[in-house]
């Protein structure tokens, strides 16, 4: 019984504790709800009049307002570079030049021709004098003398060409005759080796040697099936190419020698293949091994020598053609000079007629046009800066070959730096030319620079799938500290509304696509619809309808 009463007493204590906890919680909840419905639980601000500015934030880069890429108009080798990176340059100043080469000479020649034609015109306009006729007669006589010399030089050149060509043909025939003897000797040597070591007629080495030997004898002597002949019949062979070369005179005409000499190298190569077909085996004597090696070397030497002789013939032909053509050109020039001198003399004897003066005037104009053309060409060797600026990049190097229209020098303007910013699609409708902006540069923390929107590109730029628009801003004033490439943080003032009702942006919320604020009516907060205007970067928002000055709106709850 005592145990039962102890358990009952413990149970009562637990129930009592639970009741106390429940009571405390109920009191706490009641006090909280009462406080929540009290104005003291909220933070308020009063609606006031003020100025509000809407701004668009962006980043950008400082760049030169003018960025010029320069290229030469013609291909050439760079002779001089007058300005390097970081150096200033004036408009019209040369920054680099190509080698003039023959261009300068062309200008001088064109100027001389122009002056000559001017003198000829003046002479025609002045009329013919006896001394002029005498001078023209002397000029014709000299031209005829030069023509006779040119005719003799051409004849001499042809004789020399024939003699020189005959000499190299003679050397080629002599070399071919010696090569045929060496080839026949090589065939006899490998025949001796064949009979000593490869005469069974069934081994692979014998068959290969016999076939190569037969092919060589066919080329040399025009005899077939001689793969297993011994030295006796071979020594007696005198026909084919061998005989034709041996009986040919070294003074024969080229049209006779060319077909024969053209067959020599293939025959020597066939003989070399036959010699190479001799396989050096262990049982071969030292002397025979030496013989095989010697014949290989001999045939290689003959092939090299004959190749050189044939190349010498080709080279001599080319030299003869070049020399004769040069003399023909001189002859043509001499003939033209005679014709010109004779025409000039006839003209002076006949006297000047109006048509001649007109023709002379036309020649003056043509010579002047040629001079202008060459002067324009030589002007193209200079790379000239079109603006006052600074060399930002110089790729031109003396001695380097550059192609026409290849950009080598880059000039940026020294002043009028601007900023290129990228504005997201969502904000571009707010941006317009003339809007003011504040710029901060990473290079000068804590400082602000004035700027204004100068241009908004009408076309979009898509980067990584994001559409942006490029906006150019100009600085309000020049500053020597500004440099192209600096990173800029930009605040563009898009709109400013003065003396309007404003509240903190956090006081306005959206309910069902409608802007509302909370105000306290009676003992409880209620939501009131409002119309909003622009939002400022300072955290305020314009209230265009729904509130009046000094209205109190809830901005948050007190902790």
């Amino acid at each position: 019984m005592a145990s039962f009463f102890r358990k009952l007493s413990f149970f009562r204590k637990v129930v009592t504790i639970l009741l106390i906890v429940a009571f405390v919680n109920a009191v706490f909840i009641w006090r909280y709800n009462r406080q929540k419905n009290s104005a003291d639980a909220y933070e308020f601000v009063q609606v006031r009049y003020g100025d509000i500015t809407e701004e668009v934030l962006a980043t950008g880069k400082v760049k030169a307002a003018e960025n010029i890429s320069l290229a030469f108009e013609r291909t050439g080798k760079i002779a001089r570079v007058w300005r390097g990176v970081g150096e200033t340059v004036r408009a019209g100043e040369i920054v680099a030049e190509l080698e003039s080469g023959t261009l300068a000479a062309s200008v001088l020649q064109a100027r001389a021709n122009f002056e000559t034609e001017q003198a000829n015109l003046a002479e025609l306009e002045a009329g013919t004098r006896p001394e002029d006729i005498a001078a023209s007669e002397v000029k014709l006589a000299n031209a005829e003398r030069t023509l006779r010399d040119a005719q003799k030089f051409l004849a001499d050149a042809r004789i020399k060409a024939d003699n020189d060509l005959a000499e190299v043909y003679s050397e080629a025939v002599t070399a071919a005759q010696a090569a045929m003897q060496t080839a026949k000797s090589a065939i006899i040597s490998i025949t001796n080796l064949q009979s000593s070591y490869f005469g069974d007629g069934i081994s692979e080495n014998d068959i290969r040697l016999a076939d190569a030997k037969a092919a060589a004898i066919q080329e040399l002597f025009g005899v077939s099936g001689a793969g297993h002949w011994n030295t006796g019949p071979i020594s007696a062979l005198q026909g084919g190419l061998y005989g034709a070369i041996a009986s040919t005179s070294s003074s024969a005409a080229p049209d006779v020698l060319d077909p024969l000499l053209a067959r020599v190298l293939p025959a020597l190569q066939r003989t070399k293949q036959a010699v190479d077909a001799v396989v050096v085996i262990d049982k071969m004597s030292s002397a025979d091994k030496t013989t095989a090696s010697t014949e290989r070397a001999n045939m290689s030497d003959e092939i090299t020598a004959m190749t050189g002789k044939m190349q010498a013939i080709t080279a001599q032909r080319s030299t003869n053609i070049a020399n004769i053509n040069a003399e023909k050109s001189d002859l043509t020039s001499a003939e033209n000079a005679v014709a010109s001198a004779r025409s000039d003399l006839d003209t002076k004897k006949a006297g000047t007629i109006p048509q001649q003066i007109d023709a002379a005037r036309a020649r003056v104009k043509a010579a002047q046009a040629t001079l202008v053309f060459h002067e324009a060409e030589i002007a193209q060797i200079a790379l000239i800066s079109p603006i006052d600026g600074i060399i930002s990049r110089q790729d031109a190097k003396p001695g380097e070959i550059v192609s026409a229209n290849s950009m080598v020098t880059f000039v940026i303007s020294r002043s009028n730096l601007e900023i290129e910013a990228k504005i997201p699609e969502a904000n571009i409708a707010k941006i317009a030319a003339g809007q003011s902006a504040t710029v901060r540069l990473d290079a000068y923390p804590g400082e602000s620079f004035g700027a204004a929107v100068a241009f908004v590109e009408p076309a979009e730029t898509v980067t990584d799938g994001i559409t942006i628009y490029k906006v150019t801003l100009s600085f309000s004033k020049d500053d020597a500290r500004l440099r192209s490439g600096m990173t800029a943080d930009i605040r563009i003032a898009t709109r400013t509304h003065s003396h309007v009702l404003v509240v903190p942006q956090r006081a306005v919320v959206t309910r069902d696509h409608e802007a509302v604020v909370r105000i306290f009516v009676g003992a409880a907060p209620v939501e009131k619809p409002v119309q909003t205007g622009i939002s400022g970067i300072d955290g305020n928002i314009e209230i265009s309808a729904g509130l009046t000055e000094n209205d109190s709106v809830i901005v948050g709850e007190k902790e």
Side-chain angles (χ1 to χ4, degrees):
M1 182 66 72
S3 174
F4 170 77
F5 282 111
R6 282 196 300 270
K7 291 181 179 179
L8 182 60
S9 176
F10 175 77
F11 177 75
R12 289 174 177 171
K13 290 179 179 178
V14 171
V15 171
T16 301
I17 292 172
L18 291 175
L19 290 173
I20 293 171
V21 171
F23 176 77
V24 171
N25 286 338
V27 171
F28 176 79
I29 292 172
W30 177 79
R31 288 175 59 85
Y32 174 79
N33 288 333
R34 182 181 178 186
Q35 183 180 12
K36 185 174 182 181
N37 290 326
S38 170
D40 295 336
Y42 296 93
E43 293 182 0
F44 293 87
V45 295
Q46 285 188 320
V47 180
R48 61 179 179 82
Y49 280 103
D51 297 338
I52 188 167
T53 298
E54 180 185 63
E55 294 182 322
V56 171
L57 304 183
T59 59
K61 288 282 187 181
V62 178
K63 68 172 189 176
E66 291 182 284
N67 193 338
I68 307 297
S69 302
L70 303 180
F72 288 104
E73 296 182 55
R74 61 188 301 118
T75 299
K77 181 187 287 188
I78 297 175
R80 287 170 294 276
V81 176
W82 298 105
R83 290 290 182 270
V85 173
E87 294 187 274
T88 58
V89 63
R90 304 289 296 178
E93 189 173 356
I94 297 175
V95 297
E97 283 183 296
L98 297 177
E99 290 184 353
S100 61
T102 59
L103 292 178
S106 297
V107 171
L108 293 175
Q109 183 177 3
R111 183 174 290 111
N113 290 340
F114 175 57
E115 293 171 354
T116 298
E117 294 298 341
Q118 285 181 313
N120 291 338
L121 174 61
E123 184 179 350
L124 287 175
E125 290 175 336
T128 304
R129 300 174 299 171
E131 54 267 34
D132 293 335
I133 295 176
S136 294
E137 289 173 341
V138 172
K139 180 180 178 182
L140 176 59
N142 291 338
E144 289 173 339
R145 187 181 306 108
T146 301
L147 175 59
R148 289 192 296 272
D149 291 341
Q151 291 169 336
K152 180 179 182 303
F153 292 152
L154 177 58
D156 292 345
R158 284 173 172 160
I159 294 172
K160 184 176 185 304
D162 291 340
N163 292 337
D164 291 345
L165 189 61
E167 183 178 351
V168 294
Y169 265 111
S170 176
E171 292 175 357
V173 170
T174 301
Q177 291 170 342
M180 291 293 102
Q181 292 294 337
T182 301
K184 185 174 183 179
S185 176
I187 294 295
I188 293 172
S189 295
I190 66 173
T191 299
N192 289 329
L193 295 175
Q194 180 186 31
S195 62
S196 298
Y197 303 104
F198 308 105
D200 57 10
I202 57 174
S203 68
E204 181 180 351
N205 290 339
D206 180 46
I207 293 171
R208 184 168 60 252
L209 175 56
D211 290 344
K213 174 183 165 185
I217 292 174
Q218 177 71 38
E219 289 279 352
L220 289 169
F221 304 104
V223 177
S224 60
H228 287 93
W229 284 16
N230 58 30
T231 57
I234 295 174
S235 297
L237 293 174
Q238 298 294 327
L241 177 64
Y242 178 89
I245 291 294
S247 62
T248 297
S249 170
S250 60
S251 61
D255 57 346
V256 175
L257 295 176
D258 285 339
L260 289 175
L261 293 176
R263 295 169 56 194
V264 173
L265 272 176
L268 295 178
Q269 290 164 347
R270 283 286 189 186
T271 306
K272 176 67 165 52
Q273 292 170 0
V275 174
D276 290 340
V278 176
V279 179
V280 178
I281 57 179
D282 293 339
K283 67 178 182 177
M284 189 179 288
S285 68
S286 298
D288 288 339
K289 291 179 180 179
T290 300
T291 297
S293 176
T294 299
E295 295 300 343
R296 289 191 185 93
N298 289 342
M299 290 311 303
S300 295
D301 290 343
E302 293 295 347
I303 290 172
T304 300
M306 199 63 209
T307 299
K309 297 302 181 183
M310 298 303 291
Q311 291 174 344
I313 291 174
T314 301
Q316 188 61 54
R317 286 184 186 276
S318 298
T319 300
N320 290 348
I321 291 172
N323 291 340
I324 290 173
N325 285 341
E327 297 299 339
K328 284 182 177 179
S329 178
D330 290 344
L331 177 61
T332 299
S333 297
E335 290 172 342
N336 292 338
V338 168
S340 176
R342 183 173 289 114
S343 175
D344 181 60
L345 177 60
D346 292 342
T347 298
K348 289 182 177 179
K349 285 182 177 180
T352 303
I353 59 177
Q355 291 84 347
Q356 290 175 319
I357 294 177
D358 292 340
R361 287 171 178 165
R363 287 193 295 272
V364 169
K365 290 181 179 179
Q368 184 179 26
T370 301
L371 174 59
V372 171
F373 171 77
H374 287 300
E375 287 177 337
E377 275 194 319
I378 202 167
Q380 293 176 349
I381 70 173
L383 200 61
I384 300 173
S385 173
I387 62 171
D388 292 345
I390 300 173
I391 304 296
S392 62
R393 177 177 163 191
Q394 179 61 278
D395 293 339
K397 297 177 178 59
E400 186 176 56
I401 302 295
V402 293
S403 301
N405 301 319
S406 177
M407 303 302 174
V408 294
T409 303
F410 302 83
V411 183
I412 61 174
S413 56
R414 289 185 295 181
S415 59
N416 298 327
L417 292 174
E418 59 189 23
I419 307 167
E420 183 179 274
K422 297 177 180 179
I423 305 298
E425 181 180 8
N427 289 333
I428 193 60
K430 303 175 183 178
I431 306 299
Q435 292 172 339
S436 62
T438 301
V439 178
R440 291 182 179 271
L441 302 175
D442 291 350
Y444 303 109
E447 289 194 59
S448 296
F449 298 84
V453 176
F455 178 71
V456 180
E457 281 196 4
E460 79 284 0
T461 299
V462 179
T463 304
D464 297 330
I466 299 174
T467 300
I468 59 97
Y469 291 81
K470 293 181 180 179
V471 173
T472 302
L473 300 96
S474 57
F475 285 100
S476 301
K477 60 180 181 179
D478 291 338
D479 192 315
R481 297 174 298 168
L482 299 178
R483 295 288 185 274
S484 179
M486 288 182 171
T487 301
D489 293 322
I490 309 156
R491 294 169 57 178
I492 303 174
T494 57
R495 288 183 292 177
T496 298
H497 290 177
S498 300
H499 195 65
V500 294
L501 294 176
V502 296
V503 297
Q505 293 178 20
R506 58 195 177 102
V508 181
V509 296
T510 301
R511 295 281 189 268
D512 297 327
H513 307 291
E514 184 179 42
V516 298
V517 297
R518 291 189 299 166
I519 62 175
F520 214 87
V521 178
V526 296
E527 291 183 344
K528 182 176 183 179
V530 294
Q531 292 182 9
T532 60
I534 63 175
S535 297
I537 197 67
D538 58 357
N540 289 331
I541 186 170
E542 177 188 1
I543 302 298
S544 56
L547 294 175
T548 59
E549 185 180 13
N550 297 324
D551 283 349
S552 293
V553 296
I554 297 173
V555 294
E557 297 179 2
K558 294 180 180 178
E559 297 181 356

